[in-house]
Amino acid sequence: MKIVWRTGFIRLFLVGGILWMLLILFASLLHIWSCQYPIIFFSGMCNKDSKVFTMWSTIGLVKNAQPQHRCPIPLANDPEKIVIPEGRTPDKIVQNLSYVMEDEAFSNGSRSAPLFGGYQSWAQREESFKLKSTMKVHCGFTKNGGAEMSSEDINYVKKCRFVVASGIFDGYDVPHQPSNLSTRSKKLFCFLMVVDEISLDFIKENVTVKEDTKGGKWVGIWRLILLKHAPYDEPRRNGKVPKILTHRLFPEAQYSIWIDGKMELLVDPLLILERYLWRGKHTFAISQHKHHHSIYEEADANKRRKRYARPLIDLHVKIYRYEGMEPWSPKKQTVSDVPEGAIIIREHTAMSNLFSCLWFNEVDLFTPRDQLSFGYVVYRLKGLFEFFMFPNCEYNSLFVLHPHIREHSSRIEWVTNWDQLKGNAKVSNKGKDWDQASGSNNLVESRGGLGLWTPYPGNLDAVVLPPVIRTSKAG
């Protein structure tokens, strides 16, 4: 009996092991096949960053394997020996740029409250894309619109010509100290971390914040710059203020490097300016997106990953489609229409500043998904805005990417249809961040994205969005 039992158990164990191995093999092959299949349902299952895909590509069983995502950056050898250009890059097209500080509609009493982004009309928006030597445009920071700095911080940033800027909003992170800084860069650059009240309190609770004799607050090399009175209801949109409008916050700066708050900078900032601006005589540099080239691909990914209300993303890109924005193709002059916006390297020329203003106005008017707006503004300027879009593999060699302590979220990100936006339906499948999301139960922002709720001067009913072949995992 014992011999029979042992023999049967061994056979059962062997058969079970073989079936388990076959099941793993089948699942692996299905995963690899999904990465090669053009149908959207199957391609959405693909994860080309997975260990399974990497293993099969290494032994040559996968076509078009994902290339190495990091690559060496052709940096100069020594920050101490870099020659900093004298003076500023001449302004050729736009020579005088000023900003709307108070709308006429508000000053004459026809509006109830000032907005940070102002009340830009459709006609003013259209006019802002027509380049002239002297221009006046909306660019945030309208009177009494919010995002105010203390007098101590205003005085401090006046001395900053070279800036590394970052930002943390909604208490989702703590500052990460840059690595590999030269003595020269430590003296030359101001490292400015822009925060809101929630983030300042969170940072004080979790890391050491020192205060100098003039009231400045510091975390290591980072000077904390508090923006009082958040201009928007939505945390992600608040974060676009220092990211895109760096030249407005720090008006004396000639050069700036923006990095997202979750990034730890690994490369000396002088080497970054030399590589991405001075070497090629550029005034604006940004990385291309890892997966997407077309804004319509990016919009599809944002909807799948619940990055904003789906119907509002659709309306956003429908307006762009109506206004002639074509999907990216190799025939276009640009490397891609979609940037990886976690790093932006700029010389603050009039043209560079104008582009930043126009980019921000789109974020203010529509959705806070700035990667949708970047390529559109480039398109509207008809190739007159020149910039350097560098390979994504270099972008990934500039940083260590730290995970967020938590994802900042707002309730509007979970909306899937118009009935939910209008309060006629409940939101199902709420994510784990629903209860901690900022704001009340109201799903509509009151101070941003107002262009999506303002009658558009065109018939969008016949607009059909281009088909999208998913080029990245669903997430």
Side-chain angles (χ1 to χ4, degrees):
M1 291 292 292
K2 290 182 178 179
I3 294 174
V4 171
W5 185 86
R6 288 175 181 171
T7 304
F9 176 77
I10 292 173
R11 287 177 178 174
L12 180 64
F13 179 79
L14 290 175
V15 170
I18 293 171
L19 290 175
W20 181 250
M21 291 175 63
L22 289 174
L23 179 63
I24 293 175
L25 180 62
F26 174 77
S28 299
L29 291 175
L30 178 63
H31 175 75
I32 298 302
W33 178 71
S34 71
C35 293
Q36 308 296 311
Y37 210 70
I39 295 179
I40 289 178
F41 174 78
F42 293 108
S43 63
M45 299 165 53
C46 174
N47 179 3
K48 292 187 178 182
D49 295 324
S50 67
K51 293 181 180 179
V52 174
F53 190 92
T54 303
M55 178 185 70
W56 284 96
S57 64
T58 301
I59 61 178
L61 296 180
V62 180
K63 295 181 180 179
N64 300 321
Q66 183 79 358
Q68 182 69 25
H69 195 43
R70 292 177 181 269
C71 60
I73 308 173
L75 295 171
N77 293 325
D78 187 358
E80 304 292 340
K81 297 180 180 179
I82 288 176
V83 177
I84 300 173
E86 295 183 3
R88 294 175 177 265
T89 300
D91 295 313
K92 297 179 181 179
I93 301 175
V94 179
Q95 298 175 351
N96 298 292
L97 180 64
S98 58
Y99 311 112
V100 175
M101 302 303 295
E102 186 172 7
D103 285 296
E104 293 180 5
F106 177 73
S107 60
N108 63 23
S110 62
R111 299 288 188 181
S112 58
L115 296 176
F116 177 79
Y119 290 95
Q120 184 188 41
S121 67
W122 294 111
Q124 288 173 321
R125 173 178 178 261
E126 190 66 25
E127 190 66 23
S128 69
F129 293 117
K130 300 175 182 178
L131 298 184
K132 300 181 286 291
S133 61
T134 299
M135 299 187 67
K136 186 175 184 178
V137 297
H138 285 80
C139 198
F141 294 96
T142 56
K143 185 178 179 181
N144 299 320
E148 300 158 3
M149 293 168 54
S150 69
S151 58
E152 292 83 7
D153 289 337
I154 291 174
N155 289 330
Y156 178 81
V157 302
K158 283 181 179 179
K159 71 179 183 66
C160 299
R161 182 187 171 206
F162 293 81
V163 167
V164 176
S166 188
I168 297 174
F169 287 80
D170 203 33
Y172 67 91
D173 221 331
V174 294
H176 303 288
Q177 300 302 312
S179 305
N180 305 312
L181 295 180
S182 65
T183 302
R184 188 182 185 191
S185 287
K186 289 178 182 179
K187 295 179 180 178
L188 191 65
F189 282 83
C190 295
F191 291 80
L192 307 175
M193 179 68 69
V194 183
V195 297
D196 58 1
E197 285 97 339
I198 295 174
S199 298
L200 181 60
D201 292 340
F202 179 81
I203 292 170
K204 286 180 177 179
E205 292 174 359
N206 289 275
V207 297
T208 301
V209 177
K210 296 182 179 180
E211 187 167 335
D212 61 29
T213 56
K214 296 182 180 180
K217 297 176 177 60
W218 300 80
V219 176
I221 201 170
W222 291 105
R223 166 85 176 216
L224 301 182
I225 305 294
L226 173 64
L227 288 190
K228 297 177 287 186
H229 308 117
Y232 297 108
D233 308 318
E234 209 270 342
R236 292 187 189 276
R237 205 186 297 266
N238 284 324
K240 308 308 176 186
V241 174
K243 174 179 179 177
I244 302 179
L245 299 184
T246 314
H247 68 288
R248 297 296 319 272
L249 272 176
F250 315 124
E252 302 302 321
Q254 181 178 355
Y255 297 100
S256 69
I257 301 171
W258 165 267
I259 62 173
D260 278 359
K262 61 185 176 182
M263 303 291 195
E264 176 192 333
L265 187 62
L266 295 179
V267 177
D268 187 278
L270 264 178
L271 297 180
I272 292 176
L273 291 182
E274 192 281 330
R275 158 70 179 118
Y276 295 109
L277 295 188
W278 300 333
R279 189 181 304 182
K281 297 183 179 180
H282 303 294
T283 60
F284 191 106
I286 195 167
S287 166
Q288 59 183 282
H289 195 276
K290 177 183 178 181
H291 296 293
H292 307 142
H293 290 81
S294 168
I295 67 167
Y296 302 105
E297 295 172 345
E298 178 67 14
D300 177 74
N302 280 323
K303 290 190 294 181
R304 286 183 284 128
R305 294 169 182 166
K306 295 183 176 65
R307 292 297 188 235
Y308 203 66
R310 296 182 187 183
L312 297 182
I313 289 178
D314 280 337
L315 180 56
H316 185 177
V317 291
K318 269 191 173 185
I319 291 173
Y320 286 177
R321 189 75 183 102
Y322 179 85
E323 295 178 344
M325 182 69 184
E326 295 287 343
W328 184 87
S329 74
K331 296 179 181 179
K332 286 194 171 185
Q333 294 180 350
T334 55
V335 176
S336 171
D337 286 336
V338 183
E340 191 73 70
I343 178 169
I344 308 172
I345 307 156
R346 286 171 278 206
E347 181 184 358
H348 293 177
T349 64
M351 189 66 179
S352 173
N353 293 345
L354 173 66
F355 177 85
S356 297
C357 292
L358 300 182
W359 186 14
F360 179 81
N361 289 344
E362 296 298 294
V363 171
D364 173 74
L365 196 63
F366 300 121
T367 72
R369 308 312 306 170
D370 57 85
Q371 290 164 303
L372 299 178
S373 305
F374 180 90
Y376 170 79
V377 178
V378 172
Y379 152 70
R380 289 303 307 270
L381 295 182
K382 301 178 181 179
L384 295 176
F385 174 65
E386 298 179 357
F387 62 97
F388 177 32
M389 183 170 271
F390 55 91
N392 185 270
C393 62
E394 290 190 23
Y395 157 85
N396 281 280
S397 299
L398 292 170
F399 306 102
V400 171
L401 176 60
H402 293 275
H404 290 311
I405 293 174
R406 71 171 180 85
E407 282 292 335
H408 56 178
S409 180
S410 61
R411 296 178 185 272
I412 197 170
E413 295 180 1
W414 301 93
V415 172
T416 59
N417 58 64
W418 283 104
D419 285 338
Q420 293 170 347
L421 278 173
K422 295 176 181 178
N424 300 327
K426 294 182 178 180
V427 178
S428 59
N429 300 322
K430 300 170 185 173
K432 62 182 180 180
D433 293 329
W434 176 267
D435 292 331
Q436 68 183 19
S438 61
S440 63
N441 290 325
N442 184 17
L443 295 176
V444 179
E445 298 176 71
S446 63
R447 294 179 287 174
L450 302 186
L452 298 171
W453 303 95
T454 304
Y456 180 73
N459 184 6
L460 301 175
D461 294 340
V463 175
V464 178
L465 295 178
V468 171
I469 296 177
R470 293 180 179 173
T471 54
S472 63
K473 59 184 180 179

